[in-house]
Amino acid sequence: MNDHVRDLASVRKATERLLTAVAGLDNASVAEPSRLPGWSRGHVLAHLSRNADALVNVLEGRPMYVSGDARDADIERDAPRPLDAQLADLRASGARFQETGAAPADWSRTVELRNGVTDTASRVPFRRWIEIELHHVDLGIGYGLDDLPDTFVEREIEFLTDRFAGHPDVPATRVTDGTRAWITGRPAGPGPAGADLAAGSGVERTVGGPAPVLLGWLAGRHDGSGLRVDGGPLPALPPL
């Protein structure tokens, strides 16, 4: 069950880690390329600030963004700003998100995100946590997949395997870190009567390895090298 209060606290902690790390940069390093193709670190920081405001819109019943073009234009506008402006915006937008999350609300209601995607309001704080953690990694400033909190890694693997579940272009795949397992991709074929699907019955591939690497592969932040694959090549995943 989603716990928005717990997740808001995790967002706050992750934001403070990010702000502390970014404060060690300078104007020149903010303008340098991030790990995301075509984006500088300034683009990543601008996106994080505008995403906080966009999720406030979601929680308050407004469209997440005016349009896709407007979203992109805002990021391009804000990307070249100096470090102090980026930090101030990230701090202020994060505070607005926390204030909105603290307001009394029906957290069981359905909200709409981008491109017609819907979710329960209670999962919006976790979605914000995803943005902060993965984009902290994308900055390329010493925070890597192995630094992500264990609880976040497990929940994000579950989130992403659920996202790809039923996708016709992804083979039925069992994802495992050796102790936990998740099923994703197109529906698995029938296995022996009474078989446990989590144990791999009916799946086409099994992908195993350390949880942070599995998360990196699922999230498009790692090429999957070093993962163990049984039943065929490492599945190609759709872009997020």
Side-chain angles (χ1 to χ4, degrees):
M1 180 177 294
N2 298 308
D3 183 339
H4 72 278
V5 175
R6 174 197 61 194
D7 287 345
L8 284 167
S10 296
V11 169
R12 184 180 296 108
K13 292 176 183 176
T15 302
E16 287 304 318
R17 284 195 299 271
L18 176 66
L19 287 166
T20 298
V22 173
L25 303 178
D26 56 27
N27 290 337
S29 55
V30 168
E32 291 174 350
S34 73
R35 291 178 175 173
L36 293 178
W39 270 19
S40 68
R41 293 188 178 116
H43 282 90
V44 175
L45 297 173
H47 164 63
L48 281 170
S49 293
R50 300 290 67 78
N51 172 263
D53 288 338
L55 291 178
V56 168
N57 289 339
V58 168
L59 291 175
E60 294 185 342
R62 296 185 296 274
M64 186 169 180
Y65 296 101
V66 173
S67 68
D69 288 343
R71 168 191 176 274
D72 296 345
D74 286 347
I75 293 172
E76 290 296 335
R77 177 198 66 206
D78 294 341
R81 297 176 302 177
L83 175 63
D84 59 350
Q86 298 280 12
L87 283 169
D89 192 11
L90 189 58
R91 187 176 291 109
S93 60
R96 289 191 292 270
F97 178 78
Q98 291 288 337
E99 290 165 7
T100 302
D106 174 12
W107 287 93
S108 66
R109 72 192 187 279
T110 298
V111 295
E112 184 171 345
L113 296 111
R114 294 183 68 199
N115 303 321
V117 173
T118 60
D119 205 345
T120 58
S122 63
R123 200 149 70 156
V124 170
F126 180 62
R127 286 178 175 272
R128 177 60 180 171
W129 191 13
I130 294 171
E131 293 288 325
I132 296 169
E133 293 288 8
L134 293 187
H135 287 313
H136 193 164
V137 172
D138 293 336
L139 287 171
I141 54 175
Y143 189 79
L145 295 169
D146 287 336
D147 297 308
L148 295 169
D150 291 342
T151 299
F152 171 80
V153 170
E154 181 175 359
R155 289 183 64 194
E156 177 65 346
I157 291 175
E158 182 178 1
F159 181 86
L160 290 171
T161 51
D162 182 65
R163 177 168 181 164
F164 295 130
H167 198 291
D169 295 332
V170 179
T173 301
R174 178 176 182 263
V175 177
T176 179
D177 65 356
T179 59
R180 299 162 293 190
W182 304 263
I183 301 297
T184 195
R186 55 182 172 253
D196 181 4
L197 187 60
S201 176
V203 300
E204 301 169 58
R205 312 277 169 84
T206 295
V207 179
V213 180
L214 291 170
L215 168 56
W217 166 63
L218 289 164
R221 267 75 178 181
H222 194 285
D223 63 7
S225 57
L227 293 176
R228 302 180 304 277
V229 188
D230 295 323
L234 185 70
L237 300 175
L240 295 177

